[in-house]
Amino acid sequence: LEFRRVLFRSISHKVTEYLEHNFFRIKPVRTRSAKGIYEMKVKINKKNYRIAFALKKNHVFIFYISSNLQKIVFDKEVSKKIK
């Protein structure tokens, strides 16, 4: 439980930081059904993750975290998740 809190705080901080300064690292998730879903890689505690999130009215909604770093495979995982 504590690990999840730390992970969530770290990811939230990184997403905010990237939105403000490094937007080039954020890419759209390629899905057929949903628009406005983005992904990015984050490194937390020396481990890499790829996250999917949506932006709505200046709020970030992180809804998927994966240790799978291949974008094509990650996009497919997200597509299955949002169906």
Side-chain angles (χ1 to χ4, degrees):
L1 186 62
E2 183 60 29
F3 174 74
R4 283 186 176 182
R5 268 192 232 135
V6 170
L7 184 66
F8 181 75
R9 276 192 227 125
S10 298
I11 289 173
S12 297
H13 175 74
K14 294 212 182 244
V15 170
T16 302
E17 181 181 313
Y18 283 17
L19 285 170
E20 292 175 358
H21 304 291
N22 296 316
F23 199 78
F24 66 92
R25 292 181 179 248
I26 298 172
K27 298 174 179 73
V29 172
R30 290 182 175 84
T31 66
R32 292 184 181 173
S33 59
K35 303 284 185 233
I37 296 176
Y38 301 94
E39 63 85 15
M40 65 183 237
K41 286 191 270 186
V42 293
K43 187 172 189 173
I44 298 166
N45 295 336
K46 299 180 182 178
K47 187 166 182 184
N48 291 310
Y49 298 93
R50 195 175 283 268
I51 63 167
F53 61 94
L55 299 171
K56 295 189 182 181
K57 295 183 181 180
N58 295 328
H59 288 80
V60 177
F61 298 95
I62 301 166
F63 66 89
Y64 192 69
I65 302 170
S66 176
S67 58
N68 188 338
L69 299 177
Q70 291 182 329
K71 178 153 175 51
I72 293 170
V73 176
F74 179 81
D75 286 357
K76 287 179 184 176
E77 287 177 359
V78 173
S79 292
K80 288 179 185 176
K81 188 75 173 169
I82 60 175
K83 283 186 178 183

